[in-house]
């Protein structure tokens, strides 16, 4: 047991890096994106208005669930682009997460286990939220609600800005941390002899698939919630000023 373990090394968080780029992450990202695109085209090609196939039924269930979340949080008519965005993020992150369970000997790592990718997706979402929020709710109303929320005491208002700054960090690190921990566990289980390690390896990969679904769903759900937070009514400032004007009169 000791001799077998000593002959192996744990290779974690090491990437094939050239020209300042993690080439293995880029390759895995392209593979995950290609799987999502080809899978979507295949489902669309075989879609029918009659009895749906298993793949079509699964896809329609995912889309319907996200549509219900968007409708309850913000309204599909208010931000119709949020549904395809959330569906795309969920599908891509799920496939990217599940690449970890493929026995590729490190040639096809889960790209979501690289903080550079999760940070890029988080920044994309947050920037999109702020751009849409300022256009939809009005720049003065939107940014005023962030930097000067009148429903909070003056001393607590800076924490509102801190909360906005922390959002992309928490969104990126939550996904990265779970996938990184899963990669560590797979590497540690791989140190066991094959006649012992196959059982915990199978059990952990099944659990890792479940975690992959949960993390993809959380990222998509938080994306929907962030857009709902950016939907600030135009009369918010007037509503906040109402108690002050009433007390003055």
């Amino acid at each position: 047991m000791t001799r077998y373990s000593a002959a192996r090394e744990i290779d974690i968080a090491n990437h094939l890096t050239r020209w300042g780029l993690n080439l293995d992450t880029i390759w895995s990202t392209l593979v995950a994106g290609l799987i999502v695109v080809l899978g979507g085209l295949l489902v669309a090609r075989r879609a029918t208005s009659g009895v749906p196939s298993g793949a079509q039924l699964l896809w329609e269930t995912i889309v319907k669930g996200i549509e219900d979340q968007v409708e309850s949080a913000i309204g599909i008519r208010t931000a119709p682009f949020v549904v395809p965005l959330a569906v795309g993020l969920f599908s891509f992150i799920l496939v990217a997460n599940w690449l970890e369970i493929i026995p590729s000997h490190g040639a096809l790592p889960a790209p979501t286990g690289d903080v550079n990718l999760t940070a890029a997706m988080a920044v994309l979402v947050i920037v999109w939220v702020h751009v849409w929020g300022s256009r939809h709710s009005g720049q003065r109303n939107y940014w005023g609600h962030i930097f000067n929320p009148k429903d909070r005491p003056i001393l607590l208002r800076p924490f509102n800005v801190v909360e906005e700054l922390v959002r992309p960090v928490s969104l990126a690190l939550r996904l990265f941390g779970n996938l990184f921990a899963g990669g560590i566990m797979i590497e540690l289980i791989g140190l066991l002899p094959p006649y012992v390690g196959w059982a915990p390896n199978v059990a952990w990969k099944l659990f890792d698939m479940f975690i992959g679904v949960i993390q993809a769903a959380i990222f998509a759900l938080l994306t929907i919630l962030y857009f709902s937070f950016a939907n600030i009514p135009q009369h918010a400032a007037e509503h906040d000023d109402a108690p002050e004007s009433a007390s003055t009169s």
Side-chain angles (χ1 to χ4, degrees):
M1 177 71 175
T2 304
R3 182 181 301 176
Y4 184 86
S5 299
R8 303 190 62 181
E9 296 180 357
I10 298 179
D11 185 20
I12 299 173
N14 292 325
H15 297 278
L16 177 60
T17 303
R18 290 184 180 179
W19 311 296
L21 302 173
N22 293 340
L23 298 183
D24 53 348
T25 300
I26 296 176
W27 162 250
S28 298
T29 301
L30 293 176
V31 170
L34 184 62
I35 292 174
V36 172
V37 172
L38 292 180
L41 292 176
L42 183 61
V43 172
R45 183 177 182 180
R46 297 184 176 180
T48 175
S49 58
V51 179
S53 62
Q56 180 181 347
L57 183 61
L58 176 62
W59 180 256
E60 291 178 352
T61 302
I62 294 174
V63 174
K64 183 63 168 61
I66 291 179
E67 285 181 344
D68 292 341
Q69 291 293 331
V70 174
E71 181 62 34
S72 61
I74 185 175
I76 295 180
R77 293 185 178 181
T78 303
F81 62 89
V82 176
V83 172
L85 174 63
V87 171
L89 285 173
F90 174 81
S91 304
F92 171 75
I93 293 174
L94 179 61
V95 174
N97 292 346
W98 280 2
L99 288 182
E100 188 68 56
I101 66 176
I102 299 176
S104 59
H105 303 286
L108 199 63
T112 43
D114 187 343
V115 71
N116 294 288
L117 177 62
T118 60
M121 291 191 298
V123 170
L124 170 66
V125 169
I126 298 302
V127 170
W128 197 336
V129 166
H130 288 318
V131 171
W132 177 82
S134 61
R135 290 182 176 180
H136 175 74
S137 303
Q139 293 188 10
R140 182 175 181 180
N141 186 38
Y142 178 76
W143 294 109
H145 190 77
I146 293 178
F147 289 99
N148 191 28
K150 297 187 177 181
D151 57 343
R152 287 191 177 186
I154 295 178
L155 295 178
L156 296 180
R157 290 178 186 178
F159 290 98
N160 202 52
V161 179
V162 174
E163 180 181 350
E164 294 295 330
L165 296 176
V166 169
R167 279 183 182 178
V169 178
S170 63
L171 192 62
L173 294 184
R174 181 185 294 106
L175 179 58
F176 160 73
N178 282 274
L179 269 294
F180 182 73
I184 292 177
M185 287 300 301
I186 291 177
E187 292 288 341
L188 290 176
I189 294 174
L191 294 176
L192 300 174
Y195 59 85
V196 176
W198 69 270
N201 189 37
V202 171
W204 178 259
K205 285 188 175 182
L206 290 175
F207 178 73
D208 208 27
M209 290 180 65
F210 173 73
I211 295 298
V213 176
I214 297 300
Q215 290 304 314
I218 290 176
F219 200 101
L221 179 60
L222 288 177
T223 298
I224 296 172
L225 291 178
Y226 290 160
F227 276 101
S228 69
F229 296 156
N231 184 28
I232 301 172
Q234 294 288 342
H235 59 81
E238 299 176 2
H239 179 74
D240 291 335
D241 290 337
E244 296 182 5
S245 59
S247 61
T248 304
S249 59

